[in-house]
Amino acid sequence: MSTVTREQTVVDSVEKRLYIGGEWRDARGGGTLEVEDPATAEPLCEVADGTPEDALDALAAAHETQREWAAVPPIERGEILRRAFEKIMQRQEELALLMTLEMGKPLAESRAEIAYAAEFFRWFSGEATRIEGYYKVAGNGAGRVLTMKQPVGPSILITPWNFPMAMGTRKIGPAVAAGCTMVVKPAKQTPLSMLALAQILEESGLPGGVLNVITSSSSGAVMEPLIKDPRARKLSFTGSTEVGRVLIAQAADQVLKVSMELGGNAPFLIFEDADLDAAVEGALLAKMRNIGEACTSANRFHVAGAVADEFAEKLARRMGELKVGRGTEEDVKVGPLIDDSQRSKVDELVRDALSKGATAVVGGERLDGAGYFYKPTVLAGVPDDARVLREEIFGPVAPITAFESEEEAVARANDTEYGLVAYVYTRDFKRAMRVIEGLETGMVGLNQGMVSNAGAPFGGVKQSGIGREGGHEGVEEFLETKYVAVNMD
Ligand code: NAP
């Protein structure tokens, strides 16, 4: 079978319609939305372009199914997730190809995301049976305190394009485990992975109405009526801080329980005593995973003055070796950015830094030709007023600045409104603990360039978000605690 045929077969195998109340159906009015391959800027296919009325139908289905679904035994809810985990892994290759086609990341990274995404279902399949309250003697000895956990109710889940499947399973997994029904809206650039996931959950026995999927080109108009509808009880969003702020305001209308996984500006600290080669490899992973289009992406490298030049040179050598190209080619390590506006934003940040005195040790420009490619770039001597140190880059650009003391390193790391993740490289354990205690972030990678793990609480502080996904904490986001005061007189 030729490559073209295989790509087409994989795209053709996915449902392109809305999934509402267990039925696949066209958008009202029959509108469609074009999905593009960012490596070629050519159209891949069209999917249903959902309207606000479609979205309200989806919420109605979720609302009608909520009571029945909450009564399904936890072990059965867990088994559905476990079956879906198995099916995702059986189809890892085709799902990876689908993701690369709509999002651009290299195939090896898509395979890794599929495995990571599936892991959330395996993890939450177990968590479904570990939802528990407690019973205790009241402080005055007279009564008893009893707590029970109950599903929060119909949930609205909104996911971004950069991890089209993992950001979905990280929300759907705990919602299923907790006994919540849901309406999911993937990003318009990457609806196919979510539609494929819905098909897998359907085949795994998830009852109709529990999961409803709306694809749409007009996210604001379609989601606002849902967020303000009294039938919705929860909003879980992953995306930019800018949109997150708007959604928090909308959620205030019905006082929804909210979870927000927002933007980041991750500092990567390298101390003089660090294993520099290990730091370079960690930096490469933290910077280049997902072509730099990750909320956890290292956005700023703060390096001890004594080793800053050596680090810049070593990182530039490794970045310069990475092959850039279409993600479907096996040896490609850097795919295209998601679209032209993202590439222009990355280029603008690089131009700004260069104009203020930074040096491009490698890269520093876009690649000519079709697709939205940008050269892996290392910028040294980046001045404090450069925008690249303040704004989320979301591209393959590594800005480096030097520090002279531990205090300065921590102060620089914290000098941002974001607080998602930080990376620390040092061999001095006491220093590591001092620095980590001082960092204003929800997560820290200590001598490692990646923190993602289905069994760990992922999330940020400050303007990087509210709540945690994954770990034991993930399911709590979809539960309410009911306290019962028991009279023992
Ligand atoms: P985005 O523009 O905020 O969009 C995220 C999602 O929200 C998409 O589905 C988008 O739909 C939808 N959306 C946009 N405007 C909306 C509105 N007014 N009402 C309802 N929904 C709306 O973010 P993005 O560019 O897709 O993703 C990149 C951002 O996500 C980065 O800032 C990154 O740091 C963040 N992120 C955070 C985490 C984390 O866990 N903290 C993980 C991954 C990504 P359409 O695109 O279809 O309009």
Side-chain angles (χ1 to χ4, degrees):
M1 199 184 281
S2 78
T3 316
V4 174
T5 313
R6 182 158 174 260
E7 290 177 7
Q8 200 54 53
T9 309
V10 165
V11 172
D12 288 349
S13 70
V14 181
E15 262 292 355
K16 313 287 187 311
R17 294 175 292 174
L18 309 175
Y19 186 53
I20 300 176
E23 305 287 332
W24 294 93
R25 61 169 235 207
D26 290 325
R28 290 196 195 202
T32 55
L33 135 77
E34 191 173 273
V35 185
E36 177 186 285
D37 178 347
T40 59
E42 296 290 332
L44 271 179
C45 64
E46 295 189 345
V47 301
D49 192 358
T51 64
E53 293 72 30
D54 292 315
L56 286 166
D57 289 346
L59 182 60
H63 182 251
E64 276 161 27
T65 317
Q66 178 57 56
R67 190 177 286 272
E68 209 181 319
W69 174 236
V72 170
I75 209 162
E76 285 179 31
R77 299 201 300 265
E79 278 165 2
I80 294 168
L81 288 176
R82 180 70 202 202
R83 281 196 292 275
F85 161 77
E86 306 284 352
K87 285 181 193 293
I88 293 172
M89 291 313 293
Q90 279 157 15
R91 297 184 202 168
Q92 186 179 18
E93 273 309 305
E94 64 188 76
L95 292 169
L97 179 56
L98 186 71
M99 187 180 291
T100 291
L101 290 173
E102 69 173 346
M103 189 277 170
K105 68 180 80 178
L107 267 178
E109 290 208 49
S110 291
R111 286 188 197 107
E113 181 181 338
I114 300 297
Y116 174 49
E119 240 3 277
F120 284 105
F121 280 0
R122 178 153 63 175
W123 172 263
F124 286 110
S125 70
E127 287 300 285
T129 58
R130 289 185 211 114
I131 293 167
E132 47 196 33
Y134 60 83
Y135 176 86
K136 70 173 187 178
V137 177
N140 64 6
R144 299 291 180 269
V145 172
L146 191 151
T147 68
M148 60 180 77
K149 299 280 183 175
Q150 293 178 309
V152 61
S155 301
I156 299 170
L157 315 180
I158 303 178
T159 59
W161 49 262
N162 63 341
F163 290 98
M165 191 168 282
M167 298 302 96
T169 57
R170 202 163 79 171
K171 296 182 190 306
I172 297 168
V176 167
C180 292
T181 59
M182 64 209 96
V183 177
V184 184
K185 196 211 74 67
K188 58 181 172 297
Q189 294 100 327
T190 57
L192 301 176
S193 297
M194 184 63 78
L195 291 165
L197 186 64
Q199 281 173 270
I200 287 174
L201 281 160
E202 184 182 37
E203 287 166 25
S204 303
L206 191 71
V210 175
L211 169 77
N212 303 276
V213 181
I214 295 289
T215 52
S216 176
S217 63
S218 40
S219 48
V222 163
M223 298 315 284
E224 187 173 358
L226 258 60
I227 295 168
K228 294 187 169 174
D229 190 298
R231 290 171 295 185
R233 291 310 318 140
K234 161 89 193 173
L235 170 62
S236 177
F237 170 74
T238 297
S240 60
T241 297
E242 193 186 357
V243 173
R245 251 187 233 113
V246 172
L247 299 185
I248 291 170
Q250 290 177 4
D253 209 69
Q254 296 291 330
V255 195
L256 291 190
K257 187 175 166 93
V258 296
S259 303
M260 293 279 145
E261 295 287 349
L262 308 177
N265 179 5
F268 194 110
L269 307 182
I270 300 166
F271 290 90
E272 209 174 316
D273 61 70
D275 175 340
L276 205 62
D277 290 330
V280 169
E281 292 314 307
L284 205 63
L285 179 60
K287 180 70 255 179
M288 296 306 291
R289 177 173 175 235
N290 228 39
I291 324 160
E293 292 174 317
C295 53
T296 50
S297 199
N299 214 58
R300 310 168 272 149
F301 292 85
H302 299 299
V303 188
V307 293
D309 288 347
E310 189 184 348
F311 173 75
E313 189 199 311
K314 287 185 165 176
L315 182 63
R317 197 175 320 133
R318 293 286 281 121
M319 296 264 282
E321 286 164 6
L322 300 174
K323 184 173 174 195
V324 183
R326 191 162 190 238
T328 45
E329 292 165 27
E330 278 294 338
D331 52 345
V332 161
K333 297 284 187 283
V334 186
L337 295 174
I338 190 72
D339 55 30
D340 203 32
S341 83
Q342 185 57 35
R343 182 169 66 165
S344 297
K345 189 197 149 198
V346 169
D347 195 47
E348 217 178 274
L349 295 179
V350 170
R351 302 283 127 235
D352 173 74
L354 294 176
S355 74
K356 288 173 177 158
T359 317
V361 190
V362 71
E365 57 189 4
R366 56 181 85 201
L367 253 102
D368 293 334
Y372 310 116
F373 296 96
Y374 203 86
K375 288 186 183 170
T377 298
V378 174
L379 299 174
V382 180
D384 286 347
D385 62 341
R387 284 172 54 200
V388 75
L389 298 178
R390 312 236 140 243
E391 298 177 31
E392 195 175 31
I393 305 170
F394 248 53
V397 178
I400 300 175
T401 72
F403 65 78
E404 296 309 324
S405 69
E406 191 180 302
E407 294 70 30
E408 185 193 346
V410 174
R412 280 176 171 270
N414 289 340
D415 184 18
T416 170
E417 70 269 28
Y418 294 107
L420 189 62
V421 60
Y423 303 91
V424 178
Y425 271 76
T426 175
R427 282 186 275 209
D428 178 337
F429 183 73
K430 288 181 186 166
R431 164 177 276 164
M433 290 300 111
R434 275 196 309 271
V435 168
I436 290 169
E437 285 176 12
L439 287 170
E440 297 168 353
T441 59
M443 302 176 286
V444 177
L446 177 56
N447 293 319
Q448 65 177 47
M450 194 164 102
V451 293
S452 305
N453 175 345
F458 187 106
V461 301
K462 294 159 80 177
Q463 293 189 30
S464 285
I466 302 171
R468 294 292 180 269
E469 290 188 330
H472 302 300
E473 291 84 347
V475 78
E476 289 292 328
E477 303 281 326
F478 290 90
L479 294 168
E480 290 286 16
T481 301
K482 184 175 282 172
Y483 148 57
V484 187
V486 183
N487 185 337
M488 299 292 283
D489 291 345

